[in-house]
Amino acid sequence: MSPVIDELRSSSPWVLQFAGQSSPWRRELNELLEDPRVLASLTALDVQAEELLAPVLPELTVIGAGRLDLLGRRGPAANTSAAIASVPGVLLAQYGAYLDVEDALAGAEPTAVIGHSQGILAAAMISSEKPAGVLALARIIGAAATRVTREVGASRVGETTPMLSIRGVPRPVLADILAAEGLEIAIANSHTSAVVSGIPARLAALVETLEQRAAASRQEREAKRTGGAPLAPICEFLDVDTPFHSQLLADALRIADEWISRCDLGVANAHELASAVLIDPLAWDDEVAVAVAKLETPGGGYVIDLGPGSLQRLTLENLAGSGVTYVDAGTAPARDQLVREWRVPPPRRTGPITPRNCARWEDERFSTLRSRGSPAVRR
């Protein structure tokens, strides 16, 4: 058996992956800040980013009803799901996680670096010569998004938020339903999983429409007028305050561009990054497929997920049949085990791997390892 880190260092191909919004960034960031080295690095970046934002800081402060403090430098750290805090907050948690494993991964260059939704900012940050500029960009994106979300009336109402996850509905069927409702897919996560962004009340109405379609579908099957499985949507409002990947934020992109022009961020593709987070639809399943193809090792390679949290379900669905191993490194304990102890048993299973038999395989092969606190690793 070979440690994962040793395999990466010995040129085993791998993809580095970052999560996006609706992730446990505050929890993970708090834990990372307990490491003095990470705290010092993130504090220095935060100070530099605020200096870069000096020309627009008054506008950002008004939107946030005060100066943003994500690290607790001036008192209690910000803890809100509003984009003005969550966009830079997620990025800080991701960069801190990267710093946490940077030394262990020295010499192990990933074949590709991908980011789900705003995770694209982390992908840009770790390769940037001016990471503070990317953090400043994240603050600009978050502030513009928060401002325009309020202006267009898309703010969350209790548990009803401006982003709705829908699973269990085939993509063509969902596209037809959304077209009738005047909505579009914001994020295509997999062939049966998508996210729709919009005004919360319209998304609540969409849930009702899907439930009605599901009931009608069941009746059709029970009456034996059609065959196959009935429509069985699973809807979940994401814990976000902003309709990312939506034309509702077109003005946010315009505002962000204006603020970017007034600051010397040193990020050449700042507009493209802002657009990718705010208004561009995301085909995540396609991005994963492209990254896996770059591994050029049929039945091998790794996806290392630095979170925050885990994209395990989505990643497993998109990796099914590829033979690529998924490694959850989105929490401090998982990263600690990855770097110091975790070993990959040689594969014995053959044939296509699906999320269902993946879970069964874990029960057979990994239960002892997981009982000792090992990170989630799947094939």
Side-chain angles (χ1 to χ4, degrees), residues 37 96-106 306 329 335 338-339:
R37 182 180 65 89
Y98 176 73
L99 294 176
D100 197 27
V101 297
E102 185 179 26
D103 289 343
L105 291 173
L306 283 183
R335 288 188 299 275
L338 168 67
V339 170

Side-chain angles (χ1 to χ4, degrees), residues 45 84 100 103 129 142 157 194-195 217 224 240 248 293 333:
L45 276 177
I84 191 169
D100 197 27
D103 289 343
E129 295 182 357
V157 182
V195 175
S217 176
K224 301 187 184 302
V240 297
L248 288 171

Side-chain angles (χ1 to χ4, degrees), residues 36-50:
R37 182 180 65 89
V38 173
L39 173 61
S41 296
L42 295 185
T43 298
L45 276 177
D46 192 44
V47 171
Q48 294 166 25
E50 191 147 296

Side-chain angles (χ1 to χ4, degrees), residues 11-295:
S11 301
S12 184
W14 61 292
V15 174
L16 181 60
Q17 174 178 284
F18 293 100
Q21 286 284 327
S22 192
S23 57
W25 66 269
R26 184 72 264 177
R27 181 192 72 199
E28 297 306 324
L29 181 56
N30 285 345
E31 190 154 4
L32 283 160
L33 295 180
E34 294 178 6
D35 182 331
R37 182 180 65 89
V38 173
L39 173 61
S41 296
L42 295 185
T43 298
L45 276 177
D46 192 44
V47 171
Q48 294 166 25
E50 191 147 296
E51 291 173 352
L52 293 173
L53 291 170
V56 299
L57 203 55
E59 287 114 308
L60 270 59
T61 302
V62 169
I63 295 168
R67 291 179 67 183
L68 181 65
D69 186 358
L70 292 168
L71 304 180
R73 294 195 290 123
R74 293 180 291 273
N79 185 18
T80 171
S81 57
I84 191 169
S86 66
V87 175
V90 168
L91 182 57
L92 281 170
Q94 290 168 329
Y95 196 68
Y98 176 73
L99 294 176
D100 197 27
V101 297
E102 185 179 26
D103 289 343
L105 291 173
E109 291 298 321
T111 306
V113 182
I114 57 177
H116 186 272
S117 188
Q118 80 146 82
I120 193 174
L121 297 175
M125 192 173 189
I126 66 171
S127 63
S128 174
E129 295 182 357
K130 196 174 182 181
V134 182
L135 177 58
L137 174 62
R139 289 190 55 179
I140 284 175
I141 292 171
T146 292
R147 172 175 158 179
V148 172
T149 296
R150 295 168 180 167
E151 292 173 352
V152 302
S155 299
R156 70 189 296 162
V157 182
E159 297 300 312
T160 306
T161 75
M163 295 189 78
L164 176 69
S165 169
I166 303 171
R167 291 185 282 133
V169 181
R171 185 87 55 82
V173 175
L174 180 59
D176 288 344
I177 295 173
L178 294 179
E181 298 291 323
L183 296 167
E184 295 180 342
I185 292 175
I187 304 174
N189 279 320
S190 71
H191 68 288
T192 60
S193 176
V195 175
V196 180
S197 293
I199 304 297
R202 293 194 65 190
L203 296 184
L206 173 61
V207 173
E208 293 184 6
T209 297
L210 288 167
E211 291 174 346
Q212 293 168 3
R213 290 286 293 268
S217 176
R218 288 193 298 271
Q219 292 174 359
E220 289 287 309
R221 301 304 189 277
E222 291 169 0
K224 301 187 184 302
R225 288 190 288 268
T226 59
L231 193 66
I234 300 171
C235 299
E236 178 185 6
F237 285 99
L238 300 183
D239 185 19
V240 297
D241 283 23
T242 295
F244 293 101
H245 305 284
S246 165
Q247 287 300 317
L248 288 171
L249 297 183
D251 276 349
L253 180 58
R254 177 186 57 78
I255 293 167
D257 282 341
E258 194 270 326
W259 286 341
I260 290 168
S261 70
R262 291 162 56 189
C263 302
D264 182 20
L265 301 184
V267 181
N269 60 337
H271 168 79
E272 289 76 15
L273 290 171
S275 183
V277 174
L278 294 169
I279 68 170
D280 296 347
L282 171 63
W284 178 243
D285 49 355
D286 289 345
E287 291 201 14
V288 173
V290 170
V292 169
K294 291 180 180 178
L295 296 177

